[in-house]
Amino acid sequence: MRILLTNDDGYHAPGLKVLETLAARFSDDVWIVAPAEEQSGTSRALTLTRPIRMRRFGERRFTVAGTPTDSVLMALGEVMAEARPDLILSGVNRGANLGEDVLYSGTVAAAAEGALAGIRSIALSQLYPAPAPGEKVSFATAEAWGERVLRPLIDAPLPPRTLVNVNFPPVPPEAVRGVRVVRQGLRDYGRVKLDKRIDPRGFPYYWIGLGRMPHTPTGGTDLEAAADGFVTVTPLHLDLTHDTSLALLCDAYA
C-alpha cells in the first residue's frame, strides 16, 4: 500500500512525525508532501497568484511553499504522478477539528482534496488541554490509539468522495473510553475574538484569535463524544447540497 502523508502544521511539526510512525505500521512505501510552514486555517485555499516552489528533503520527502491543498495537488500531479497513493493521511493536527472546524481546517482540506481525487483519505487531530507556557502538546493518545482507529478505516466500504475525520480526546491514552462513530456537530456562533493593537507608527492592526465558543449540546456529535473522552470518527462527504432546501427553492421558482 502506497501512503501519502501531509498536514497543515508544516513539515517540521511533531504531529507529522507521529503520523509517519503510524503509517509505518501499515506500509514501507510512505511519502511526505507537506507545507513548508504552518498553514492552519487555510481550508481548501489554492495558491493561484504566485508560483509554487517545492523542495526535496529525501527520497520520499518534500515540502511545498503553499497550502495543504497545494501539497496534495503537487503530490498527485508531480511527485507521485506515475504511481498515485492508495491512502492519504493528513495530520496529526495540533488541536481539535470538531464541528464547524472542518470548514476552516487545512488538515481536513488536504483529506478532502484526496477524496475528490478518488483516494481513501483520513484527517487526524489531537485535542489538548491549554498547555502551560513552554509546555509541549502531547500526542501520546494519537500514538497509542492511532493504529486501532485507522485499521478498520483502511478497508471500510466508504462511498466515493467521502473522507473520514478523526479526533483524539485530550486525555491520557489509558483514560480513553473507546471509539465512537458520530456525526459532525455545530457550535453556537461567536468564537472569533479580534485582538486590536497599535504598531510603532500609530496604525492599528489585528490578530484573529479563537475564544471559547458557546455550545448547545445536541447529543451524538463529535463535540460531545470528544468531551466525554472518546476518539471520534466522522465520515464527511463533499456534496454540500441541502436537499430539503433544493426542493423548497424549486417550488419557489415553479
Side-chain angles (χ1 to χ4, degrees):
M1 180 169 55
R2 175 165 287 194
I3 303 177
L4 168 63
L5 308 184
T6 191
N7 68 358
D8 75 358
D9 288 331
Y11 177 80
H12 298 287
L16 186 60
K17 294 181 175 63
V18 172
L19 191 61
E20 189 174 9
T21 299
L22 292 174
R25 299 173 186 172
F26 296 94
S27 174
D28 59 2
D29 191 5
V30 178
W31 297 66
I32 296 177
V33 184
E37 298 179 349
E38 183 174 351
Q39 297 287 327
S40 296
T42 56
S43 187
R44 295 196 62 202
L46 292 171
T47 300
L48 301 177
T49 58
R50 58 179 174 81
I52 297 175
R53 300 190 183 275
M54 185 164 60
R55 182 179 178 187
R56 184 171 186 166
F57 280 81
E59 183 182 358
R60 301 173 183 172
R61 310 177 73 90
F62 299 82
T63 64
V64 173
T67 68
T69 301
D70 292 334
S71 298
V72 174
L73 288 174
M74 292 295 291
L76 301 184
E78 177 67 20
V79 176
M80 307 175 74
E82 295 183 1
R84 289 168 45 142
D86 305 295
L87 174 68
I88 296 177
L89 301 178
S90 181
V92 176
N93 189 66
R94 182 182 182 273
N97 276 310
L98 300 167
E100 72 290 333
D101 293 341
V102 301
L103 299 175
Y104 303 103
S105 168
T107 302
V108 176
E113 191 63 32
L116 190 63
I119 299 168
R120 177 64 53 97
S121 300
I122 304 168
L124 303 100
S125 302
Q126 174 66 67
L127 285 70
Y128 60 89
E135 181 183 1
K136 293 183 178 179
V137 171
S138 173
F139 288 86
T141 300
E143 286 187 90
W145 283 80
E147 182 178 354
R148 72 183 87 177
V149 173
L150 285 172
R151 194 165 291 282
L153 295 177
I154 290 175
D155 297 318
L158 295 174
R161 294 186 173 87
T162 301
L163 61 137
V164 179
N165 185 36
V166 174
N167 281 271
F168 299 97
V171 297
E174 63 276 9
V176 174
R177 298 175 63 189
V179 180
R180 276 191 177 172
V181 179
V182 288
R183 65 177 297 108
Q184 173 195 345
L186 284 173
R187 303 179 184 91
D188 303 326
Y189 190 75
R191 187 181 188 188
V192 174
K193 296 176 63 176
L194 294 178
D195 183 358
K196 181 179 180 180
R197 303 186 184 188
I198 304 297
D199 72 17
R201 296 187 296 162
F203 294 101
Y205 67 98
Y206 301 85
W207 283 99
I208 294 178
L210 299 176
R212 294 184 62 84
M213 181 180 287
H215 168 52
T216 302
T218 56
T221 77
D222 53 2
L223 295 169
E224 290 87 11
D228 289 339
F230 290 90
V231 178
T232 67
V233 175
T234 303
L236 304 172
H237 63 97
L238 302 181
D239 181 359
L240 301 181
T241 306
H242 189 255
D243 290 329
T244 303
S245 297
L246 188 68
L248 289 173
L249 289 175
C250 284
D251 291 341
Y253 287 97

